Every structure is written in structure tokens, then in C-alpha cells.
Amino acid sequence: MSSAETAAVPPEAASPEETGEAVRTRWQRLSGGLLIGYQFAQRAARALVRGVHQRWRGSLQLRVVSTTLVISLAVAAVLGFFLVQQIRSGLLEAQRESALREHAAGLSTALSELQDGEQPVDRDKQLYDIVEELSGGSGTSSSGHDAMILPSVDGSSGWVAGGVRETTVPDRLRERVQSSGGVDSSYWTYTTIQRERGANEPGLVVGAPLSHAYELYYVFPLTHEQGILDLVQNTLVFVATLLCLVLGVIAYMVTRQVVSPVRAAAGSAERLAEGDLNERMKVRGADDLARLAVSFNEMAGNLQEKIQELEELSRAQRQFVSDVSHELRTPLTTIRMAGDLLYEERDDLDPTMARSVELLQGQLERFEELLADLLEISRHDAGAATLAVEPADIRDAVLKAVGDSEQIAEKRGIKVVLRLPAEPCVAEFDTRRINRILTNLVVNAIEHSEGKDVIVTAAGDRDAVAVAVRDFGVGLKEGEEHLCFDRFWRADPARARTTGGTGLGLSIAKEDAQLHGGWLQAWGEPGAGSQFRLSLPRKSGQELRGSPLPLVPPEKPMGRARPASAPAAEAEQGRPAVTGEGR
């Protein structure tokens, strides 16, 4: 068989199952395409609405111009509507009065011809002649009218001029004319003139009884009046549109003169807030905006002077603290050596002297702690603090901090509960500084726990490690979660202190955490305790984007009070809870 013959052979018919499967496949593709198109259109519409909303809220000039245009359009529409209504009423009233006069004259003429002379032989011809005589113009002229005489008996045709259909006269008007009972009453109404040839047009129909058997109607076209109204409406629309555009341009130019200086003032204020104390506004003219610029420049100048004074005072204070701290080290070392000698020989002294030596030793330790904190603060202020970064397990730092505070916890009868992960949480940090931070947090939690347990939790993820120290004591008032890191700040100055302290611990801890590129944050509520969270990046110098532990404790999601037995209850629920003796 040749190739041509092979091509001519029809293909094998597909089975019904294959045909149905193909239809379902095409329908699924079509449905999927329509769904994707709908979702795309929906996202585009939402993006457009958001863009317009943001643009509307962010531009004073756009709001002023848009409001001016909307109000102008509304005023033009209202005034144009009333103006068109007044013109329309005046035109129609004038046409109606003229129509009534012409109809009255025509009615008198028709009555005279019907009553003049003897009864005509051909009444139809007489009525037709009357209609032709009374018709003014061809019926299509704007100044003419068409006449028609219609019989009062239903089913009979009338006499009409100008090619106007009898249906032009509404039934309601004929009923009023027929029920009037006299020839001196004329009635009118608006209608649509229907002609044998040509398009329909608006019109006015005036009618009255001609005799007991006939009725006389005048049909007045209103095309001329309609043309005047259309011209007035088009003119008003054009003028209103042009006026709104002019007002929009005027509003744009006026608001630009006001908004541009305001934007310049906002930009200057932003740059001043960012730290550019040399920023000043340009003063143009002597109006209100010029006075604003002058006031802004005076404010910026005074602010710059005050900030420079404060910076000089701060530098002097830092220098004083640094100098005093260093100068005190030498006499303190001598006093410390003498105190240590006396402390070692306290057993050979009388009880009064031995007690004095013990008090001296305690105050020397506190003095050394204060001096060390002042030196550390001065290093941070001078930007001389450095890190000795090395890979370390955050769990070891937690255990060391808990061990250092073990004596304080035992003295107050407080148990420190550890919740440490089973896997190592290795990160790069300065172990000395992190141990100091954690020790400070644990000691503060013990001091403010009001005899309840303290929970220390550690966790880690791919990018960060974190430690949270939770107590159930007095808590923090609103706003104190930021104040607690200020230097020498105390939540309750009247409260007795049992562990000494310099008031610089949390401030130094905050500086150390920031030096690592980490966070030290606080949460608390009165009567519900507090929680401090330290978050560190896994790698030194890496930006910290999140923390493995929540700042707000999970057992306090909505601010409800937590019972004192909650730590033990959580341990019973299967959560890891061990004391400071081990992991």
C-alpha cells in the first residue's frame, strides 16, 4: 500500500471511556486556568486597593486635591440639576400657555364652522377640512402643531393631520375630556408623538370637547425645547468639568506651596532625629511657614547646644569614673592586704574585734565588686570592651551560674529548677561575660522570688541559643521591663537587700549581651513574677533574627496568675526539671 493510500485510511475510533477521560482532562485544565486567573485578578485588585490606600494616607496633597475635585463635582452636579430643572420648567410652562391659547382659538374656529350654515351633506369632508385648516405647519416644524378630531364613540376613526397616529393621545386624557361635560374646559398632558413616518418625539397634547360627538386635540412637538435643554445640559457638563479641572489645578498649586515646605520640614526633622545636628531649614519670606522654619532652626540650635553640653558632661563623668576607679585600686589593694591579715588572725582577737574584722572583710569584698563594676562600665563607655570568643556549650554556662548562686539559694530555701536540652547547645561567646550575665540573672531571680522556686531554661535552634530565668515573685510593673536595665535602678528602693549589689549588674549584662550581638530582654507582671531572656547567635558576628525561647512564659499566655506549685506540676507532666546538682 502506498503512502497516500495509508494516509487516506481513517484512524481507529476512540472508545467512549477514552473520550470521557479526555473531556474531563480538558475540563480540569480549563477549571485550573480559570481558578489561577481568578486568584491573580484577586491579588492584583488587593494590591491596587492597598496601593491606593497607602498613597491616600501618605499624601496630604492628594487628599486635598481629591477632596476639592469631589466637592466641586458635587456642587456642580447639584447646581446644574436645579438650573436644568428651572430652565425646563420655564420652557414647558411657556409652551403650555401658548398651546392652551392656540387650542382655545382653534376650538372657537371649529365651533363656528360646525354651527355656521346648514347641515353639510358630507360631514367627514367638513371635519377633514377643519383639521387641515387648524393644523399649523407641517407637523414636523418646531413652531407648528398638528390637529385631530376624534369621535367620542369608541371604535370610530377620527380625522388627523400631519401623519400623527391617534394613539398619540393618551387614554387618560380622552377620559378626562369625555367626562368634562362642557366645551369650555381644556386639558393637557405630555406624551410621545407617534407618526406614520419618522421617529417618535416628545410632545404636548391639548384637548377639549368639540361637541357631544367629537373632540378636538392639538399636538405640539417639543423637539425645539428638548434641543434647548440638551444644549443647556451639554454646556453645563462641559463648564462643570472644565471648572472642576481648573479647581483641581488650583488646589494642586496651592497645596504644593504649603505641602512642599511641610515636606522639607519633615525631612529636616527626620535627619535631625537621625543625629544630624547641623540640619537647618531654609527660610523664605516672612509668612507662617517662614516663622516655622525660624522656630525649627532655633530649636535645632538649642538642641545641638544642649546635646553637646550633655556629651561633654558625659565624657567628663566617664573620665571621672574611670580615673577614680583606677586610682582606687592601689589603696584598695593595700587595705585588702591588711584586711586579709587581720581576717586570718581573727581567732586570736577578742570577740568584738573579731566581729569588726569580719564586717571589714565583707565591706571590702563589696567595695571590690563595686570597683570592678565601675571599671567594666567605664570600659563599655569608652568602647574598649573586647570579647574572647570561643565555642562553648551554653549548658555549661548555666550550670556554672547556678553553682555560683547555690549558697544564696540554700540560704533562702529556694530550689533552682533546670530545664536543659539533652543535646549540646554550642555557640561562640565569651564565657566569662556570659557566666557573669547568667549569674546576675539567677541571683536577681533568687532575691526577688519571694521564697518560690526559680526556673532556668536553655534551648537552641539552627541560628541561636537562649537562656530564660523565671521567678514567681513580685514581678515588674508596666514599663519597668526597660527601666530595669538602667544604671543604679531598683524596682523597690525601700525593699531590704540581702545580697548586696551595686545596681550595675543588669546594665553591665545588657552591655555584654549587645557586645555579643545578642538580646537581653525582660518580662514581668505584678504578682506573677518575671522572666529574663538572654539570646545569642550561634556564630559570632552573625545577625540575630529570633530566639528559641519565648519572652512571655508559656504558662502565662493571657496574664493570669500562676500558682506557686506550677514548676512541680510541669515536672509531673513530663517536662525535664532537674535541680542544680546536674543536668
Side-chain angles (χ1 to χ4, degrees):
M1 184 180 292
S2 64
S3 59
E5 293 175 347
T6 302
V9 176
E12 185 179 354
S15 63
E17 293 79 3
E18 295 177 352
T19 304
E21 182 65 25
V23 172
R24 284 193 296 270
T25 303
R26 287 195 297 270
W27 173 250
Q28 291 175 356
R29 291 178 179 176
L30 178 61
S31 301
L34 292 176
L35 180 60
I36 293 174
Y38 172 74
Q39 293 175 350
F40 176 77
Q42 191 177 27
R43 288 194 297 268
R46 290 178 179 175
L48 179 62
V49 172
R50 285 195 300 268
V52 172
H53 180 67
Q54 293 176 357
R55 180 64 177 171
W56 173 265
R57 293 191 59 184
S59 176
L60 175 62
Q61 189 173 13
L62 176 61
R63 292 200 300 271
V64 172
V65 174
S66 301
T67 304
T68 302
L69 287 176
V70 171
I71 295 176
S72 301
L73 286 173
V75 172
V78 172
L79 293 179
F81 174 79
F82 283 106
L83 182 60
V84 170
Q85 291 298 319
Q86 291 294 327
I87 296 175
R88 179 176 180 274
S89 300
L91 289 175
L92 294 180
E93 184 177 0
Q95 178 63 21
R96 186 170 61 250
E97 293 178 355
S98 175
L100 289 174
R101 288 195 299 269
E102 292 189 24
H103 181 268
L107 184 62
S108 300
T109 302
L111 288 174
S112 300
E113 293 187 2
L114 286 177
Q115 296 174 0
D116 188 18
E118 298 180 354
Q119 185 73 16
V121 177
D122 191 352
R123 174 64 72 176
D124 291 342
K125 186 176 185 307
Q126 182 185 20
L127 293 175
Y128 181 78
D129 293 339
I130 294 175
V131 167
E132 290 292 333
E133 181 182 355
L134 295 179
S135 295
S138 62
T140 60
S141 174
S142 60
S143 60
H145 63 271
D146 298 308
M148 64 175 66
I149 296 177
L150 302 179
S152 300
V153 180
D154 295 337
S156 301
S157 60
W159 297 266
V160 183
V164 179
R165 297 179 182 270
E166 296 182 11
T167 54
T168 299
V169 182
D171 294 337
R172 63 180 183 276
L173 179 61
R174 296 201 62 184
E175 292 175 358
R176 295 179 62 186
V177 171
Q178 293 173 2
S179 62
S180 62
V183 297
D184 295 332
S185 300
S186 297
Y187 300 91
W188 60 272
T189 187
Y190 295 109
T191 186
T192 299
I193 301 177
Q194 303 175 8
R195 300 185 181 275
E196 297 291 344
R197 296 173 182 159
N200 299 337
E201 56 183 330
L204 174 67
V205 179
V206 181
L210 185 59
S211 65
H212 65 281
Y214 301 103
E215 304 157 10
L216 177 62
Y217 295 94
Y218 272 20
V219 179
F220 297 88
L222 299 178
T223 53
H224 179 67
E225 288 76 8
Q226 184 64 44
I228 295 176
L229 287 176
D230 292 341
L231 177 61
V232 171
Q233 291 179 351
N234 295 334
T235 304
L236 287 177
V237 169
F238 175 76
V239 172
T241 303
L242 183 61
L243 180 62
C244 291
L245 292 177
V246 171
L247 289 176
V249 173
I250 294 174
Y252 174 80
M253 297 176 63
V254 172
T255 54
R256 185 176 181 180
Q257 294 181 357
V258 178
V259 171
S260 296
V262 172
R263 289 176 178 171
S268 299
E270 290 176 356
R271 289 186 288 273
L272 182 65
E274 292 174 356
D276 186 5
L277 300 179
N278 295 319
E279 178 65 28
R280 297 294 184 272
M281 289 182 61
K282 296 181 180 179
V283 181
R284 296 185 178 91
D287 54 7
D288 296 334
L289 295 175
R291 289 197 296 271
L292 173 64
V294 171
S295 301
F296 177 86
N297 294 338
E298 292 178 355
M299 178 194 68
N302 295 333
L303 183 62
Q304 185 178 18
E305 293 177 0
K306 295 297 181 183
I307 290 178
Q308 290 176 351
E309 292 177 1
L310 292 175
E311 288 179 349
E312 293 175 359
L313 178 61
S314 178
R315 284 194 295 269
Q317 288 179 337
R318 289 196 297 268
Q319 187 65 36
F320 174 77
V321 171
S322 178
D323 294 344
V324 169
S325 301
H326 285 85
E327 293 297 330
L328 287 177
R329 292 180 66 87
T330 301
L332 180 61
T333 302
T334 304
I335 296 173
R336 180 67 176 178
M337 294 173 60
D340 290 341
L341 291 175
L342 292 175
Y343 187 74
E344 291 176 357
E345 302 294 333
R346 68 184 183 280
D347 294 336
D348 299 334
L349 302 176
D350 60 84
T352 304
M353 292 296 295
R355 177 59 180 165
S356 299
V357 170
E358 291 176 355
L359 292 175
L360 175 63
Q361 187 74 7
Q363 293 302 317
L364 282 174
E365 292 178 355
R366 185 177 179 184
F367 192 20
E368 285 182 339
E369 182 183 352
L370 175 60
L371 185 59
D373 288 344
L374 289 175
L375 287 172
E376 189 65 27
I377 284 292
S378 65
R379 280 193 288 269
H380 280 293
D381 290 340
T386 58
L387 294 176
V389 176
E390 59 180 353
D393 193 343
I394 195 66
R395 299 179 302 172
D396 297 333
V398 171
L399 290 175
K400 187 177 186 310
V402 172
D404 293 341
S405 58
E406 184 177 1
Q407 292 183 354
I408 301 174
E410 290 179 354
K411 183 178 179 181
R412 304 197 57 164
I414 295 174
K415 183 176 69 173
V416 179
V417 180
L418 294 181
R419 295 178 180 170
L420 304 181
E423 299 295 331
C425 292
V426 180
E428 296 178 356
F429 55 83
D430 189 331
T431 55
R432 180 182 66 86
R433 295 182 183 274
I434 297 303
N435 288 336
R436 181 169 60 191
I437 295 175
L438 296 179
T439 302
N440 185 277
L441 296 181
V442 174
V443 171
N444 283 345
I446 293 173
E447 184 177 357
H448 296 87
S449 64
E450 299 292 329
K452 303 181 182 68
D453 293 344
V454 173
I455 302 176
V456 181
T457 307
D461 57 17
R462 185 183 63 180
D463 300 322
V465 296
V467 177
V469 180
R470 173 81 162 101
D471 68 77
F472 302 91
V474 295
L476 296 173
K477 299 178 182 178
E478 184 178 359
E480 291 183 348
E481 64 272 9
H482 303 292
L483 294 176
C484 63
F485 297 106
D486 292 345
R487 299 176 183 180
F488 303 106
W489 181 87
R490 293 185 63 193
D492 187 2
R495 193 168 173 269
R497 300 182 64 175
T498 60
T499 60
T502 62
L504 297 173
L506 287 178
S507 177
I508 295 174
K510 183 83 169 181
E511 296 283 352
D512 286 339
Q514 292 177 348
L515 193 63
H516 283 81
W519 304 334
L520 181 58
Q521 300 163 297
W523 168 90
E525 286 186 3
S530 60
Q531 175 165 294
F532 287 77
R533 182 186 68 178
L534 172 66
S535 304
L536 299 173
R538 286 270 191 179
K539 295 182 179 180
S540 179
Q542 185 179 9
E543 183 181 0
L544 186 63
R545 299 183 180 273
S547 178
L549 292 175
L551 179 60
V552 180
E555 70 274 6
K556 195 74 173 62
M558 298 301 292
R560 296 187 295 270
R562 174 191 174 94
S565 60
E570 290 176 355
E572 293 174 359
Q573 294 174 1
R575 300 183 182 180
V578 296
T579 62
E581 298 175 356
R583 297 181 185 176

